[in-house]
Amino acid sequence: MRPMTLGLSLALLAGVATAAPAPPSAEKTLAAGRPWVSVTPSGDAAFIHGAIDIDASPRQVWAVLVDCAQAKKVISNLTVCRVVEKGATWDVREQVSKGNMFVPTIRNLVRADYTPYSRITFRRTGGDLKVMQGEWRLEPRGRGTRLIYENRVAADIKLPAEVVRAGMKTDCSKVLVNLRKAVTGK
C-alpha cells in the first residue's frame, strides 16, 4: 500500500513519544530475524511502535540513521532529504516524499535532537503533516543493536483510518528491513 508511506516516510529518518520497550509478544518475531511493528489509533493520529535487531554496533546503525544520503536507500519514495539548519546536538531537515494518485507529494521540516549512539528524538516543525513526534532508540544487544522506533503521526489523507494504519504497518516493516540492509549489506 504505497500511498500510506506518507507520514512514516517523512518521520523515519528525521518529539518524544512515550519510551517503551518492545512487548514480550514481539520477542519471538524479533528472534526470528523479522521486524516487529504495531500501529494503533492515538486520537486523531496513529501511534507506530516498531523494532528490529541488527547485527551491527549502535555506532554503525547510528551512521545510517543520521545520514541524509542513505535515506533514499531506506525509504523508497523519499525524493529530498537535506539539512537546512544545524546545531551541536540537533538539526532540522527538509524531507519530501513523492506522491501518487491517493497521496500528494508531501514536504515536511523535522527537528531531530541527538544523543549519540543511543537516541534520536524528532518532531515536526513545519510542512504538510498534521502531527509527527517520536524517537529512535538504539539498544546494544551482545554484538548487535535492537533498534526501536516510536512515532505519533497524522496526515490529511482521504482514506479510511484502518487502511492508513495497515499501510503504515507494512511500510514501517519495509523501512526497518531496508535500514538493516543499509547497515549490514544483507
Side-chain angles (χ1 to χ4, degrees), residues 68-129:
C68 265
Q70 297 275 353
K72 291 178 187 175
K73 293 179 186 176
V74 175
I75 304 167
S76 61
N77 70 333
L78 191 68
T79 60
V80 173
C81 179
R82 69 181 181 98
V83 176
V84 296
E85 197 175 344
K86 188 166 180 56
T89 61
W90 61 273
D91 66 29
V92 175
R93 294 172 182 224
E94 176 186 36
Q95 297 176 317
V96 179
S97 167
K98 177 176 57 177
N100 61 37
M101 104 168 40
F102 298 106
V103 179
T105 294
I106 300 296
R107 177 187 168 273
N108 273 298
L109 294 174
V110 180
R111 175 174 169 138
D113 291 283
Y114 301 108
T115 304
Y117 318 119
S118 65
R119 186 173 184 208
I120 301 169
T121 59
F122 56 87
R123 63 182 165 80
R124 173 196 178 279
T125 61
D128 300 324
L129 288 178

Side-chain angles (χ1 to χ4, degrees), residues 127-177:
D128 300 324
L129 288 178
K130 295 182 344 185
V131 175
M132 182 181 60
Q133 182 173 334
E135 73 178 7
W136 288 101
R137 285 191 317 282
L138 295 82
E139 298 178 352
R141 296 275 171 135
R143 297 188 339 187
T145 303
R146 173 153 300 163
L147 182 62
I148 297 172
Y149 171 74
E150 295 179 344
N151 189 9
R152 184 170 182 271
V153 63
D156 190 16
I157 300 175
K158 305 298 184 211
L159 293 171
E162 301 81 22
V163 172
V164 173
R165 287 192 303 270
M168 287 179 172
K169 183 173 182 174
T170 298
D171 291 336
C172 185
S173 293
K174 288 178 185 176
V175 168
L176 290 170
V177 168

